[in-house]
Amino acid sequence: MSDLFHHFTRPIGAGELPERFTWPFCYVPHPLCVEAADAVRRAIARDPRLEADAGEGKMFGVLVVEHCDGSGTVGYLAAFSGLLGGRNDIAGFVPPIFDTLDPAGYFKQEEARITAINHQIATLKSDGTTERLRSEISRLQQDATACLAAAKSDMTAAKAARDLRRKGPMTDAEAMRLLDESRHERAEYRRLKARLDGQTAAVRQQLEAHDAHIGRLRRERRERSAALQRWLFGQCVVDNALGEHKDLNEVFRDKGIDMPPSGAGDCAAPKLLAYAYRHGLRPRAMAEFWIGRSPRSELRRDGLFYPSCSGKCGPILAFMLRGLDVEHDPVAALAAQPHTPTVIYDDDVMAVIDKPTGMLAVPGRLTAQSAVDWVRSHLTQAGEAVAVHRLDMDTSGLMVIAKSRAALDPLRRQFEARTVVKRYTAIVDGTVNPATGRIDLPLSADYHDRPRQKVDMTDGARAVTDYAVIGHDRGTTRVIFTPLTGRTHQLRVHSASILGLNAPIVGDRLYGTGGDRLCLHASHLELRHPVSGEWITFDSPAPF
């Protein structure tokens, strides 16, 4: 891969090219992208150092391109996200939009200044000054307390002696002398206390000056880092097919985002498009794929294709794809199709429906009809219907709808108290062993790639799922899931994670390989009726 424009190993006919460019946030990779990705993997395997670096885990991308010179020559570009083995200049891969690794460039020089500040802060925090001064303050306070207590005791004894002397006969001169003695002792005590307080205050001032110095360095580091990020994003200028140019600060500001997230513009997709536009190449199809070890938190598996991230790449690609004939969003198209739930149960206060896959559970950012919308328009006394819980758009199965606010509260309390029994039927891609078990992995939102979730051992909310294998078929396993908590995408992440089943649910477009449908179905519900209090049970066989 010595050149950046790579030729396919066979002639590519015009009929093999896609009519529209890839919708990057949800797609099935075009066959030419698969072919190009296989070639990239083979090239990496031929280079031991490159194979070792990629084996640590890295997102790669390919862009099928066509020369705009009228020749119709078709080839592909390759890229990786971030750095590979600490480098961004690997032969055969397109360069970054802006080179931050140039040692003579402003970025590296300013980064070195920030690093030096980090070292200053680390030295000041670890040189023992803070601990020494705090210890000195504590010792001075203890000594002062003991010293003042002794002085107070002496004053008390002296006062007792004076009081005893005052009981006998004395002259006016003697009485005045005793009074002066009392005043002198009190004044001496105040002077002693002031001197001791002054000693402590002097050391405390040293501590405050030390802490203030660290604080000033931290503020300088923060301000320099923010300014450097702003400067960097100002250097990252991207283009689109209309010939427009914007830096990343402008791109994100147009979306109402003041500061682009760290790493924006450094993913494979923007790199590929930037190179193509600057070198007279017409983008025809794109795909991103993971090579190497799976991370413990994010759900990435060797050889699988993944959509572009929404947080970092969403605003950038929205600008860079202008002027291209891009495929429609397949998720929006699926949601817009007519869907009809099956009514399982319906009375004056609640309903239970069997929601089909592809249907929104509740109204959202898409304008398509949701399950709640359908209930409001098709069932009696359901004009104020509210979903008691939610199912993912891709998940089918049993869903409880409250027809009134009065019914909503007692139903919702059952879900919050986890007294509702829920079971899901799923088919996962792989052989699950052991046959039963519990998955206890905390989850949090993947901030830069919503709606994806990730395993988060530090800040995640606890998520617990019991599972039981009920069958196997040609490399897949049919499983019953019993969630004991109700986190977003809980079953999907617990299935796909290498810390969970390590077997994504078949058809999972976010955490697996995608397909005709997500093979996850809410198949069993047990709860109390919100009015009668009787236990009611509902079942729905999985349609797969």
Side-chain angles (χ1 to χ4, degrees), residues 316-444:
I316 300 173
L317 296 183
F319 173 77
M320 298 187 80
L321 295 181
R322 289 179 187 172
L324 294 181
D325 186 10
V326 182
E327 296 171 343
H328 296 302
D329 179 358
V331 176
L334 177 61
Q337 293 178 7
H339 298 284
T340 302
T342 300
V343 179
I344 304 296
Y345 177 87
D346 183 28
D347 65 16
D348 292 343
V349 297
M350 65 173 284
V352 177
I353 62 170
D354 194 334
K355 183 187 82 68
T357 183
M359 187 178 202
L360 295 172
V362 297
R365 63 176 183 84
L366 302 176
T367 57
Q369 183 187 54
S370 68
V372 170
D373 294 327
W374 187 91
V375 167
R376 289 174 179 172
S377 61
H378 287 77
L379 300 185
T380 59
Q381 298 179 294
E384 297 181 353
V386 179
V388 180
H389 63 123
R390 300 187 180 190
L391 298 178
D392 295 341
M393 186 184 99
D394 295 337
T395 303
S396 59
L398 298 170
M399 183 174 168
V400 181
I401 307 290
K403 286 189 171 184
S404 67
R405 295 287 174 179
L408 175 63
D409 288 341
L411 287 169
R412 184 168 285 171
R413 281 196 295 270
Q414 293 183 61
F415 280 87
E416 291 172 350
R418 300 174 186 172
T419 59
V420 177
V421 178
K422 297 181 290 182
R423 286 198 285 272
Y424 292 74
T425 303
I427 299 177
V428 300
D429 187 9
T431 301
V432 175
N433 187 39
T436 61
R438 171 167 291 183
I439 306 165
D440 190 345
L441 292 175
L443 306 178
S444 67

Side-chain angles (χ1 to χ4, degrees), residues 44 46-55 85-87:
I44 290 174
R46 290 194 295 268
D47 185 329
R49 174 64 183 275
L50 199 56
E51 184 178 35
D53 290 339
R87 296 173 53 194

Side-chain angles (χ1 to χ4, degrees), residues 250-296:
E250 296 174 296
V251 168
F252 279 84
R253 197 176 300 123
D254 289 346
K255 295 294 183 180
I257 302 171
D258 178 62
M259 174 70 85
S262 178
D266 213 19
C267 295
K271 286 183 180 180
L272 291 165
L273 289 169
Y275 186 88
Y277 288 138
R278 293 173 186 176
H279 292 82
L281 301 171
R282 180 188 175 194
R284 299 304 302 262
M286 183 170 64
E288 294 176 280
F289 54 99
W290 186 263
I291 291 180
R293 185 178 298 118
S294 298
R296 292 175 66 84

Side-chain angles (χ1 to χ4, degrees), residues 109 237 250 277 328 336 524 529:
Q109 293 178 2
V237 178
E250 296 174 296
Y277 288 138
H328 296 302
H524 180 83
H529 191 276

Side-chain angles (χ1 to χ4, degrees), residues 61-76:
V62 289
L63 178 67
V64 177
V65 292
E66 183 179 11
H67 271 292
C68 297
D69 58 6
S71 66
T73 304
V74 176
Y76 64 91

Side-chain angles (χ1 to χ4, degrees), residues 41 54-58 290-294 300-303:
R41 292 176 65 88
E56 294 298 314
K58 177 62 62 177
W290 186 263
I291 291 180
R293 185 178 298 118
S294 298
R300 301 283 189 253
R301 300 170 70 86
D302 182 58

